[in-house]
Amino acid sequence: RREQARLKASVVEEDTEEWQKDAHFTGLERVGGVDLSYVKGDESRACASLVVLSFPALQVLYQDCRMVAVSAPYVAGFLAFREVPFLVEAVRRLQQEEPQLQPQVLLVDGNGLLHPRGFGTACHLGVLTDLPCIGVAKNLLQVDGLARDELHREKVRSLQRSGETFPLMGTSGKVLGMALRSCTTSSRPLYVSVGHRVSLGTAVRLVGACCRFRIPEPIRQADIRSREYLRK
């Protein structure tokens, strides 16, 4: 908790890059995605995956898949301590080996500010790499009074078209993230939250721009490639 609080002090919740301030993201050329896939039945072995895609074409420019030995136990609310070190290593390798392909923003399969202590995996990775980061979760983390209750389900049903959203406001009155309908073919929303060096509005717009299917392409490709690596 002390370490999370120390690192949280460095989180920047606003846009810091010129491309973020442009309606069409002019100047954004590379979007990264990260994922960890575990060996079935073995929580200590996983494949850590980092991909970089071109933007707006969303073509894979770079991929790095490595087997890693996961030693930290899973503790709810502290997942980053288990997974982020491997993702930081992957980013560092890319910076050394192919610096011209460094992503200008990272999409993370997990939460940012939408977290019991306001410091999820996307914040953790963002602060340690100093890259803009966005948390994209498939399920709602029930914190600060947020719940998958009938009211929430009603709001989800109200999202009729891709790009439609509603704010995730906790009992504290703070907006912790946004529910986003990312494509017309899936009615299940994504839960987008700020990680680091990006505003919530920009985060939601960018996630939407990266979606061909429900899951944004950088995360989807990182997941596909890590699973394929394990299969092989």
Side-chain angles (χ1 to χ4, degrees), residues 47-51 62-66 89-91 93-94 97:
C47 175
S49 168
L50 163 67
V51 297
Y62 173 92
Q63 74 168 52
D64 178 358
C65 294
R66 301 271 174 123
E89 276 174 21
V91 171
R93 270 198 301 276
L94 167 56
E97 294 166 13

Side-chain angles (χ1 to χ4, degrees), residues 1-225:
R1 283 170 188 266
R2 274 200 306 273
E3 180 70 354
Q4 278 183 335
R6 184 181 73 78
L7 294 171
K8 186 180 189 296
S10 301
V11 171
V12 176
E13 297 180 38
E14 60 220 31
D15 294 329
T16 59
E17 309 302 297
E18 283 307 309
W19 61 262
Q20 294 168 329
K21 297 160 191 171
D22 183 277
H24 304 290
F25 296 125
T26 305
L28 176 61
E29 298 176 350
R30 296 173 308 282
V31 181
V34 291
D35 185 64
L36 239 76
S37 290
Y38 288 86
V39 173
K40 262 207 179 98
D42 185 354
E43 286 294 291
S44 69
R45 291 171 68 232
C47 175
S49 168
L50 163 67
V51 297
V52 181
L53 275 60
S54 63
F55 187 88
L58 303 176
Q59 300 298 312
V60 176
L61 303 173
Y62 173 92
Q63 74 168 52
D64 178 358
C65 294
R66 301 271 174 123
M67 289 304 295
V68 295
V70 183
S71 55
Y74 170 72
V75 180
F78 298 94
L79 178 67
F81 290 97
R82 182 171 162 84
E83 298 190 345
V84 162
F86 306 114
L87 303 177
V88 171
E89 276 174 21
V91 171
R92 298 272 183 263
R93 270 198 301 276
L94 167 56
Q95 288 168 333
Q96 284 171 352
E97 294 166 13
E98 307 261 10
Q100 75 283 5
L101 292 178
Q102 171 165 295
Q104 291 159 279
V105 58
L106 282 172
L107 302 193
V108 180
D109 181 8
N111 292 294
L113 297 178
L114 180 56
H115 177 270
R117 286 168 299 286
F119 193 74
T121 302
C123 297
H124 208 124
L125 184 61
V127 169
L128 293 185
T129 60
D130 200 32
L131 290 172
C133 270
I134 299 170
V136 185
K138 297 186 279 291
N139 299 300
L140 177 67
L141 190 60
Q142 303 190 42
V143 296
D144 193 22
L146 294 172
R148 287 194 297 268
D149 54 14
E150 188 47 44
L151 175 62
H152 181 78
R153 286 193 287 272
E154 200 177 295
K155 286 180 180 173
V156 168
R157 285 193 291 273
S158 77
L159 304 177
Q160 293 296 308
R161 289 190 296 277
S162 63
E164 291 187 349
T165 63
F166 64 83
L168 300 164
M169 186 185 282
T171 48
S172 64
K174 185 173 162 71
V175 174
L176 302 175
M178 290 286 244
L180 164 71
R181 178 157 182 169
S182 56
C183 72
T184 44
T185 53
S186 175
S187 59
R188 294 172 64 206
L190 295 173
Y191 299 98
V192 180
S193 57
V194 168
H196 183 51
R197 292 179 57 189
V198 65
S199 69
L200 183 56
T202 299
V204 171
R205 280 195 307 122
L206 181 60
V207 170
C210 288
C211 286
R212 287 177 174 157
F213 306 98
R214 180 186 174 223
I215 306 300
E217 207 58 17
I219 292 175
R220 187 173 161 270
Q221 289 298 330
D223 177 62
I224 287 170
R225 286 154 200 266

